[in-house]
Amino acid sequence: MQAAVIVFPGSNCDRDIAVALERASGQRPHMVWHKDSTVPEVDLIALPGGFSYGDYLRCGAIAAHSPVMRDVKARAQKGTAVLGICNGFQVLIESGLLPGGLLRNESLKYICKDVGLEVETHDSIFTRRYRNGQRVVFPIAHGDGNYFIDEDGRRRLEDEERIAFRYCDAMGQVTPEANPNGSVANIAGIYNRERNVLGMMPHPERLADPLLGGRDGAAMFDGLVEALA
Amino acid sequence: MSEPNPEITDALVAEHGLNAEEYARVLEILGRTPNLVELGIFSVMWSEHCSYKSSKKWLKTLPTDAPQVIQGPGENAGVIDIGDGQAAVFKMESHNHPSFIEPYQGAATGVGGILRDVFTMGARPVANLNALRFGDPGHPKTRHLVSGVVAGIGGYGNCVGVPTVAGEVNFHPAYNGNILVNAMTVGVAEADRIFYAKAHGAGNPVVYVGSKTGRDGIHGATMASASFDEDSAEKRPTVQVGDPFTEKLLIEACLELMATDAVVGIQDMGAAGLTSSSFEMASKGGSGVALNLDHVPVREDGMSAYEIMLSESQERMLMVLKPGREAEAKAIFDKWDLDFAIVGELTDSGRMVIQKGGEQVCDLPIDPLAEAAPEYDRPWESTPAQPDLTADQVPAHDPAQALQTLIACPDLCSRRWVWEQYDHMVGADTVQRPGGDAGMVRVHGTDKALAVTVDCTPRYVLADPVQGGRQAVAEAYRNITATGAQPLAITDNMNFGNPEKPRVMGQFVGACQGMGEACRALGTPVVSGNVSLYNETGETAILPTPAIGGVGLLDDLSKMATVAFKADDEAIVLIGETHGHLGQSLYLRELCGREDGPPPPVDLEAERRNGDFVRELIRGGWVTACHDLSDGGLLVALAEMAMAGDRGAAIQPPEQAAPHAWLFGEDQARYLVTAPQAGDILQAAQAAGVAAYALGRTGGPALKLAGGPSISLQRVRAAHEGWLPSFMSAAG
């Protein structure tokens, strides 16, 4: 699997996702500068976490208008796999590739901690190595991860099985107490209709190495390699 | 526009913080009256903050040499060898006064400043730490200050993408009017690619990069060199505003440029901005400088030379390039959308000559300013010894109740509320997160890790500055040792009151003595540091707080130890001697409402011996968990290990000991370790001449004391985790 990682000014998880992808695929991803107008031919495009453009204006809003994003959108529409993590999720929403919005955390504080996630469906190139309903642990690290979508939108996501992950407690229950940021229906990650674009607030790349405290995230990258090899 | 040129009156000189004697020296050096720009430059360069005039004499007594030291104090940061051609670069610095006036920006720019000190040297920052001291939790400002400082540290560190992995937070009424915000950064560089703040080579271009210069922070260094009074809040305009996004770009652009060989010397513009960066670089390289301020990127029109030279706008660097490399360097800064301006060149005149608007606005000799700054031998008096305090002079409380109180007290409760606001994992190399003995960050792409910690017990330093100074260094040594890492060196952040008071100066002198003794005995020299004096409001000085930042190396990550109990029915062994020292203990303060007695004495030989022994146990794979004993003593440490491992323990204190002293005394040089069996460890300890005691075994849902109470772990955890969030969410 050949991947490309888009580097925006202020990206700070670009190296982390590149390490996790290389660990799974054995191939070093292309690091693509946001001012480039095209992305090389690749199987997966990753939009990393960080603070693109310092989160000025609105998280992800300025990055969504970077020169490179025109090609990212075109590729996504043609079916290339696109994974946006944290700030990358915010960029995907601001680009119109995914619906809804990401608001300030309900606590108004930045939160960095491990959270439980329920895998809603293994029917995607990203989650094929997980089981439906499996509880996994990924860290979150964000100040604006409070996913919002209106009632109709939420129903559509649910009907089309486009919710990738929901925040859950230690027993795997999706409860209000397990919701770290106030997201609608505990939503932590969603797909586009074609299921080739995934945006999520938690960081699978931060727990893909046992020395860091766990490797639940590794299955996502292994699954991608399997699907896109 | 021509420069304002007021008459230099005595009042104007005093406003610039120069005393009569210092001003006489200015006149002598110049042979004439300075103009306003020159007076401003003398003022900041000779401020306590920039010149270390009260502290230098004593700082010089600290050991700074060891085989692992590549660069000691005097540069932007210290540099130590961590093997394989790599180096760790680190320093700690205070941002106390600005953080009290404007907690979010004060703390944020403190983080920004210390990051620049480290990447200026060619190192990629890999870990941030901080040491925070706030006033009484009951004081009306405390909650606001905690909230703002923590948000500011997070706001800056999270955005630049450097994990904040360790720190300490204390509360004491002595900090009501003067909080302490000490920030530390650790970076990693190639040992043969370290960059220094030395400007040499007449004709070489002097280049300004980063943010534009505004009017913010003018005279910040002078503010940091005075006590607070009623009007301090009016100094808000002298607090700078940080932009971590620009800092992130600056890190990447500088490291990209440093990967070429175009840079001769580089220095960040910190306190006293363009003035101190240009003077220090020129002085260290024995050069002169010609600057043209018309080329400095400015944020607003009409800025005078005085304002440009003294501005403390953030995220700016000054560098000297090799001739002919300007275009290559500019292309890198253009790529990152950062300002890049050639503002002057080096000369061989030994003078700083500054032009603006076609006028010469400054002509000063460099060396007398930068190197011949005043140095004082301030009168000092030593702190009288506290009368002894024996266990029978201290009431014995029920141990269960005492633990429950201590584990929830502001100085021992969980700091989760704090560190969950810091991104402590970015970089995907954090192998020990906050909450343990030391933060640990893997050296990227290797199997080794740096163990980092900040420590100080100010109430010990107040009671006995020499023992307190020793203890701060020893605790940093223990925290690193408890992970299995070898302590290598320290940075210090000396926070004290007004040095013109002999009692305060005596605290400084005593702390330096104790620190120096400990550094020598434990093999951890001082490689960088910072001094913050005048932390006083009215007549109230802070507790003397020499915060120690320690760095150690674990060369094989597979050997790393953590504090958590790992399995049921393992032996728990106490390493080190327990005398039950209750003087200055948290037990005494929190249970008995007293802050008296001498602090625990620090036997440096025992520290070294026990530390070496514990590291050997960890590296040999003998132990499954390890924790150092400090605040709160043995039972608190045991509870921390139990909570981390989510399993209890049953312990057996020796029969002859007074339980309250034995369980809560704060004797030094001690660790708790666990292992499947105690036998081998006790035997090895005996052979090494180290005291060891088989304390009990792990397991169960509670902490059980033989012949005493059983304390539910669930209740301990609720108390431990509960205090800070409930304090911070309370109204008011």
Side-chain angles (χ1 to χ4, degrees):
Chain A
M1 179 191 69
Q2 181 62 56
V5 176
I6 310 295
V7 183
F8 299 103
S11 291
N12 64 28
C13 304
D14 42 336
R15 189 188 75 184
D16 307 358
I17 182 71
V19 166
L21 288 168
E22 186 177 348
R23 184 186 260 261
S25 68
Q27 269 177 286
R28 182 160 296 187
H30 298 290
M31 304 305 279
V32 180
W33 184 236
H34 70 116
K35 288 180 187 170
D36 291 355
S37 52
T38 55
V39 181
E41 275 307 316
V42 290
D43 306 305
L44 171 75
I45 298 171
L47 306 187
F51 287 72
S52 60
Y53 291 94
D55 277 356
Y56 295 136
L57 186 56
R58 233 180 14 253
C59 304
I62 305 178
H65 292 93
S66 280
V68 77
M69 282 308 292
R70 198 169 306 155
D71 198 32
V72 171
K73 279 191 260 187
R75 298 294 188 82
Q77 276 147 14
K78 281 191 211 148
T80 301
V82 177
L83 170 62
I85 299 169
C86 201
N87 189 227
F89 185 16
Q90 294 161 342
V91 176
L92 289 175
I93 284 186
E94 291 288 342
S95 315
L97 284 168
L98 292 173
L102 287 161
L103 311 178
R104 194 100 185 98
N105 293 347
E106 209 169 46
S107 65
L108 303 180
K109 287 189 188 69
Y110 185 97
I111 307 168
C112 177
K113 64 175 183 183
D114 287 349
V115 295
L117 298 173
E118 184 188 39
V119 180
E120 289 288 300
T121 166
H122 70 213
D123 177 23
S124 86
I125 50 173
F126 304 95
T127 51
R128 52 191 282 146
R129 284 277 189 107
Y130 300 107
R131 298 184 314 277
N132 282 355
Q134 184 180 344
R135 179 183 183 270
V136 294
V137 174
F138 296 167
I140 55 167
H142 60 246
D144 301 79
N146 178 356
Y147 183 72
F148 178 78
I149 193 162
D150 62 25
E151 205 36 43
D152 286 349
R154 178 179 70 86
R155 223 169 296 129
R156 199 170 313 124
L157 288 179
E158 284 176 352
D159 291 348
E160 295 173 4
E161 293 192 359
R162 286 166 56 193
I163 296 171
F165 301 100
R166 291 190 212 247
Y167 299 107
C168 71
D169 66 14
M171 308 306 293
Q173 301 299 308
V174 176
T175 61
E177 295 71 37
N179 187 339
N181 52 26
S183 293
V184 164
N186 284 36
I187 292 172
I190 56 168
Y191 300 110
N192 65 344
R193 192 166 298 147
E194 294 72 26
R195 312 182 80 70
N196 65 314
V197 177
L198 168 62
M200 59 191 297
M201 288 314 296
H203 288 267
E205 82 281 17
R206 290 190 180 186
L207 276 184
D209 172 353
L211 271 171
L212 302 179
R215 59 186 319 271
D216 281 358
M220 180 177 289
F221 305 110
D222 293 344
L224 281 166
V225 170
E226 199 174 66
L228 300 174
Chain B
M1 195 185 104
S2 77
E3 282 300 310
N5 193 14
E7 193 192 336
I8 306 299
T9 60
D10 289 350
L12 193 58
V13 170
E15 237 174 75
H16 279 78
L18 292 170
N19 65 28
E21 196 185 320
E22 287 165 349
Y23 186 62
R25 201 149 165 186
V26 169
L27 295 177
E28 189 191 327
I29 287 171
L30 287 185
R32 61 176 166 85
T33 307
N35 64 28
L36 183 65
V37 175
E38 292 165 339
L39 179 67
I41 290 173
F42 271 102
S43 154
V44 293
M45 290 300 291
W46 286 4
S47 68
E48 188 68 55
H49 190 82
C50 292
S51 73
Y52 297 91
K53 57 192 171 189
S54 300
S55 57
K56 218 188 285 175
K57 173 184 162 78
W58 301 100
L59 295 176
K60 281 184 201 159
T61 65
L62 295 169
T64 58
D65 271 339
Q68 70 270 30
V69 176
I70 295 173
Q71 174 67 51
E75 265 291 339
N76 282 302
V79 184
I80 57 170
D81 189 345
I82 56 168
D84 308 313
Q86 294 177 306
V89 178
F90 61 98
K91 188 183 177 185
M92 180 158 43
E93 202 162 74
S94 62
H95 229 211
N96 303 336
H97 293 66
S99 300
F100 184 80
I101 294 171
E102 213 299 280
Y104 185 98
Q105 290 299 343
T109 53
V111 174
I114 195 63
L115 280 164
R116 283 193 296 284
D117 277 333
V118 167
F119 73 77
T120 296
M121 302 203 68
R124 176 168 288 279
V126 298
N128 279 337
L129 300 88
N130 53 75
L132 311 179
R133 262 93 195 175
F134 297 103
D136 187 337
H139 188 273
K141 283 195 95 159
T142 300
R143 195 177 286 110
H144 156 74
L145 291 167
V146 173
S147 161
V149 165
V150 170
I153 289 172
Y156 207 100
N158 299 346
C159 182
V160 295
V162 177
T164 300
V165 300
E168 53 174 355
V169 184
N170 287 150
F171 297 87
H172 193 280
Y175 303 105
N176 281 351
N178 297 81
I179 62 169
L180 301 184
V181 174
N182 297 172
M184 171 171 166
T185 294
V186 184
V188 172
E190 297 301 316
D192 59 356
R193 304 282 300 160
I194 306 289
F195 290 81
Y196 297 99
K198 280 198 184 90
H200 52 78
N204 284 350
V206 176
V207 174
Y208 169 119
V209 296
S211 290
K212 294 186 191 334
T213 296
R215 289 195 165 99
D216 46 343
I218 292 172
H219 278 310
T222 317
M223 174 177 86
S225 307
S227 299
F228 271 167
D229 53 36
E230 303 272 299
D231 302 330
S232 290
E234 288 171 19
K235 292 192 171 158
R236 195 162 289 139
T238 57
V239 178
Q240 315 85 327
V241 175
D243 177 5
F245 172 59
T246 300
E247 179 104 335
K248 169 68 174 163
L249 304 184
L250 199 54
I251 294 175
E252 300 304 333
C254 286
L255 292 179
E256 198 170 319
L257 176 61
M258 287 162 159
T260 72
D261 64 346
V263 179
V264 174
I266 179 165
Q267 161 100 31
D268 80 296
M269 294 191 221
L274 188 52
T275 295
S276 74
S277 57
S278 53
F279 271 88
E280 281 171 24
M281 276 215 321
S283 169
K284 282 179 188 151
S287 297
V289 183
L291 289 182
N292 186 337
L293 300 187
D294 297 334
H295 299 149
V296 171
V298 287
R299 222 181 282 155
E300 43 200 314
D301 288 339
M303 285 185 68
S304 65
Y306 180 88
E307 290 169 326
I308 293 172
M309 288 306 290
L310 299 186
S311 162
E312 290 192 2
S313 288
Q314 300 290 292
E315 292 92 25
R316 302 179 301 159
M317 312 278 268
L318 197 67
M319 56 175 92
V320 174
L321 296 178
K322 290 183 183 163
R325 306 299 289 272
E326 296 90 330
E328 183 188 343
K330 183 169 186 305
I332 291 173
F333 285 85
D334 285 349
K335 172 188 161 189
W336 292 97
D337 294 321
L338 292 166
D339 271 307
F340 175 100
I342 297 166
V343 295
E345 62 173 26
L346 296 188
T347 65
D348 52 14
S349 67
R351 301 185 77 83
M352 173 79 55
V353 179
I354 303 175
Q355 302 270 336
K356 186 170 183 296
E359 279 178 58
Q360 180 170 309
V361 294
C362 164
D363 178 6
L364 294 173
I366 286 167
D367 273 349
L369 255 107
E371 303 237 297
E375 182 177 334
Y376 296 127
D377 183 2
R378 303 240 188 237
W380 59 276
E381 59 193 42
S382 43
T383 301
Q386 293 271 341
D388 272 346
L389 189 70
T390 54
D392 52 19
Q393 293 170 287
V394 177
H397 292 268
D398 168 55
Q401 200 46 53
L403 175 65
Q404 200 74 5
T405 303
L406 279 173
I407 206 82
C409 81
D411 277 352
L412 280 178
C413 68
S414 165
R415 271 76 178 109
R416 186 182 304 275
W417 184 92
V418 173
W419 49 255
E420 280 189 351
Q421 295 185 58
Y422 304 149
D423 188 341
H424 47 271
M425 302 183 218
V426 61
D429 279 317
T430 304
V431 292
Q432 272 205 43
R433 299 181 188 181
D437 278 322
M440 288 193 84
V441 179
R442 175 171 53 192
V443 178
H444 192 68
T446 73
D447 293 322
K448 55 188 189 183
L450 298 175
V452 295
T453 180
V454 285
D455 296 288
C456 182
T457 314
R459 60 183 192 277
Y460 294 175
V461 190
L462 179 72
D464 182 338
V466 177
Q467 291 294 349
R470 287 178 166 199
Q471 195 273 342
V473 175
E475 189 173 341
Y477 173 88
R478 286 201 301 272
N479 279 327
I480 291 168
T481 292
T483 68
Q486 176 69 46
L488 290 178
I490 65 162
T491 180
D492 58 34
N493 202 145
M494 311 291 284
N495 308 276
F496 289 79
N498 180 352
E500 293 160 44
K501 296 180 180 167
R503 185 183 48 83
V504 170
M505 197 60 215
Q507 293 169 343
F508 188 90
V509 172
C512 283
Q513 184 197 323
M515 285 163 54
E517 289 166 0
C519 288
R520 281 185 196 90
L522 303 176
T524 55
V526 179
V527 295
S528 57
N530 170 247
V531 178
S532 171
L533 301 175
Y534 297 97
N535 292 289
E536 295 204 13
T537 298
E539 283 303 300
T540 311
I542 59 161
L543 301 185
T545 311
I548 302 298
V551 175
L553 176 70
L554 180 61
D555 48 21
D556 177 1
L557 256 176
S558 68
K559 304 281 195 244
M560 181 176 83
T562 65
V563 304
F565 285 156
K566 301 298 182 306
D568 286 342
D569 201 28
E570 291 202 316
I572 306 166
V573 179
L574 171 63
I575 309 288
E577 282 186 59
T578 300
H579 303 284
H581 187 100
L582 287 171
Q584 297 299 333
S585 65
L586 283 183
Y587 177 93
L588 194 64
R589 191 178 86 191
E590 299 295 323
L591 276 300
C592 315
R594 290 164 58 182
E595 297 180 61
D596 60 342
V602 181
D603 175 346
L604 292 168
E605 265 177 51
E607 288 286 359
R608 178 78 187 236
R609 190 168 56 239
N610 298 0
D612 287 346
F613 176 68
V614 166
R615 241 175 287 114
E616 235 169 85
L617 289 182
I618 295 172
R619 288 174 182 216
W622 292 97
V623 301
T624 51
C626 182
H627 190 15
D628 103 293
L629 270 61
S630 55
D631 275 351
L634 190 150
L635 199 55
V636 165
L638 188 80
E640 287 168 346
M641 297 176 86
M643 286 187 284
D646 206 13
R647 63 192 82 234
I651 63 164
Q652 171 93 50
E655 274 167 22
Q656 70 280 17
H660 67 308
W662 205 79
L663 292 170
F664 301 107
E666 295 181 3
D667 306 287
Q668 300 293 297
R670 297 187 301 163
Y671 303 80
L672 281 175
V673 297
T674 60
Q677 296 303 331
D680 291 338
I681 293 175
L682 297 177
Q683 222 166 28
Q686 196 172 20
V690 168
Y693 174 78
L695 183 68
R697 300 195 80 81
T698 62
L703 299 175
K704 282 189 211 155
L705 300 177
S710 178
I711 312 158
S712 138
L713 202 53
Q714 206 183 340
R715 280 191 58 212
V716 173
R717 190 193 304 281
H720 185 60
E721 293 291 348
W723 187 83
L724 195 49
S726 95
F727 168 66
M728 291 308 298
S729 65

